[in-house]
Amino acid sequence: MAFKKKKDIFFESLENMANTVVQAADYFAQNTGDLSNMVEFTDQMKKYETECDNYTHTIIKELNKTFITPIERDDIMALATTLDDVLDGLEATASRFYMYDLKEADEYIIQFSEILRESAYEIQKAVHLLSQKKLLAIREYTIRLNDLENQGDELLRICTKNLFASVQDPIELIKRKEIYERLEATTDSCEHVANCLESIIMRNS
């Protein structure tokens, strides 16, 4: 009887984090079109964020007691931190929707949510290749993540220009501007995951 090799705890935890990022980005994108049940929406996003934090704590705990790691300890920690930052960004944006009593998302928020959903799937595919040691294949996804971050930059320029041209109420303008900037910062966090993966490729291939 052949025994299946147990997956390394670090790779397993990083994959679990990437999977949670996908679940959260999916849920976020699916619900930005209808913000009528804001309490449920923010509660669920908080659950995803807590789940990701728990995986980070597992990684820290294991790093403290493991002498030999599959890749550099700093790389494991950096990747866990950047993955956690993506979920923190999504959850922080959801909480702003609640605090600012946002009744409906505009076209720009919906476009940002789709960019973030796509980015999450690219991250998931890349992180799952890590444990398979298919390092050079990860490049396809890091390039795509850089492209998606560029789309986020361009979208921020467009929506900010439109905001100042069309919204007269200063309070509403401040609210929308912060939400746009927080969403764009989360696309930056996705690119930071890509940069971290690039660093791992360079060190190990």
Side-chain angles (χ1 to χ4, degrees), residues 112-134:
F112 267 120
S113 72
E114 286 303 325
I115 289 171
L116 288 165
R117 192 212 296 253
E118 282 186 58
S119 298
Y121 277 99
E122 300 303 319
I123 286 169
Q124 184 188 45
K125 286 180 272 196
V127 171
H128 278 261
L129 284 173
L130 199 56
S131 64
Q132 299 169 40
K133 302 286 198 293
K134 295 179 178 175

Side-chain angles (χ1 to χ4, degrees), residues 108 110-119 122 143-159 180 183-185 187-188 191:
Y108 303 115
I110 289 167
Q111 284 178 57
F112 267 120
S113 72
E114 286 303 325
I115 289 171
L116 288 165
R117 192 212 296 253
E118 282 186 58
S119 298
E122 300 303 319
I143 290 166
R144 179 80 181 124
L145 282 162
N146 289 326
D147 179 49
L148 287 162
E149 192 275 334
N150 288 336
Q151 288 179 36
D153 284 346
E154 181 59 23
L155 183 56
L156 182 63
R157 280 192 286 273
I158 293 165
C159 65
Y180 295 154
L183 285 162
E184 193 278 327
T187 69
D188 288 344
E191 187 181 44

Side-chain angles (χ1 to χ4, degrees), residues 25-54:
D26 253 344
Y27 183 82
F28 187 89
Q30 285 162 14
N31 286 275
T32 44
D34 177 15
L35 297 170
S36 56
N37 197 340
M38 184 57 72
V39 173
E40 185 184 320
F41 175 61
T42 50
D43 282 354
Q44 183 57 53
M45 290 304 298
K46 186 66 188 171
K47 283 176 188 170
Y48 287 129
E49 194 251 346
T50 303
E51 194 178 329
C52 220
D53 282 345
N54 290 338

Side-chain angles (χ1 to χ4, degrees), residues 172-186:
E172 184 62 23
L173 191 146
I174 290 165
K175 289 179 186 178
R176 294 272 171 175
K177 184 170 180 287
E178 196 204 334
I179 287 169
Y180 295 154
E181 287 172 348
R182 198 164 278 279
L183 285 162
E184 193 278 327
T186 310

Side-chain angles (χ1 to χ4, degrees):
M1 183 179 168
F3 287 97
K4 191 178 178 185
K5 190 182 176 187
K6 190 174 184 293
K7 185 167 279 188
D8 176 88
I9 185 67
F10 298 110
F11 287 146
E12 184 177 32
S13 298
L14 290 166
E15 286 178 12
N16 287 336
M17 289 184 84
N19 295 343
T20 307
V21 167
V22 163
Q23 289 165 16
D26 253 344
Y27 183 82
F28 187 89
Q30 285 162 14
N31 286 275
T32 44
D34 177 15
L35 297 170
S36 56
N37 197 340
M38 184 57 72
V39 173
E40 185 184 320
F41 175 61
T42 50
D43 282 354
Q44 183 57 53
M45 290 304 298
K46 186 66 188 171
K47 283 176 188 170
Y48 287 129
E49 194 251 346
T50 303
E51 194 178 329
C52 220
D53 282 345
N54 290 338
Y55 291 129
T56 306
H57 295 149
T58 298
I59 287 169
I60 293 167
K61 188 175 74 180
E62 291 296 326
L63 281 173
N64 285 332
K65 67 181 187 183
T66 305
F67 185 64
I68 297 172
T69 54
I71 54 175
E72 294 279 342
R73 305 168 79 82
D74 288 351
D75 288 336
I76 293 169
M77 198 61 234
L79 186 53
T81 303
T82 52
L83 286 166
D84 195 44
D85 288 345
V86 175
L87 232 167
D88 285 347
L90 286 166
E91 191 275 327
T93 306
S95 71
R96 290 306 181 286
F97 290 171
Y98 176 73
M99 285 190 287
Y100 297 158
D101 198 23
L102 194 71
K103 298 297 185 195
E104 58 179 319
D106 59 35
E107 60 179 302
Y108 303 115
I109 292 171
I110 289 167
Q111 284 178 57
F112 267 120
S113 72
E114 286 303 325
I115 289 171
L116 288 165
R117 192 212 296 253
E118 282 186 58
S119 298
Y121 277 99
E122 300 303 319
I123 286 169
Q124 184 188 45
K125 286 180 272 196
V127 171
H128 278 261
L129 284 173
L130 199 56
S131 64
Q132 299 169 40
K133 302 286 198 293
K134 295 179 178 175
L135 296 180
L136 294 177
I138 292 171
R139 279 250 159 83
E140 176 189 341
Y141 304 109
T142 60
I143 290 166
R144 179 80 181 124
L145 282 162
N146 289 326
D147 179 49
L148 287 162
E149 192 275 334
N150 288 336
Q151 288 179 36
D153 284 346
E154 181 59 23
L155 183 56
L156 182 63
R157 280 192 286 273
I158 293 165
C159 65
T160 304
K161 186 174 188 297
N162 178 71
L163 185 67
F164 281 93
S166 62
V167 176
Q168 301 300 316
D169 179 0
I171 303 297
E172 184 62 23
L173 191 146
I174 290 165
K175 289 179 186 178
R176 294 272 171 175
K177 184 170 180 287
E178 196 204 334
I179 287 169
Y180 295 154
E181 287 172 348
R182 198 164 278 279
L183 285 162
E184 193 278 327
T186 310
T187 69
D188 288 344
S189 295
C190 294
E191 187 181 44
H192 296 159
V193 175
N195 294 341
C196 194
L197 287 164
E198 283 287 349
S199 172
I200 292 168
I201 294 167
M202 280 196 305
R203 287 199 219 214
N204 295 278
S205 58

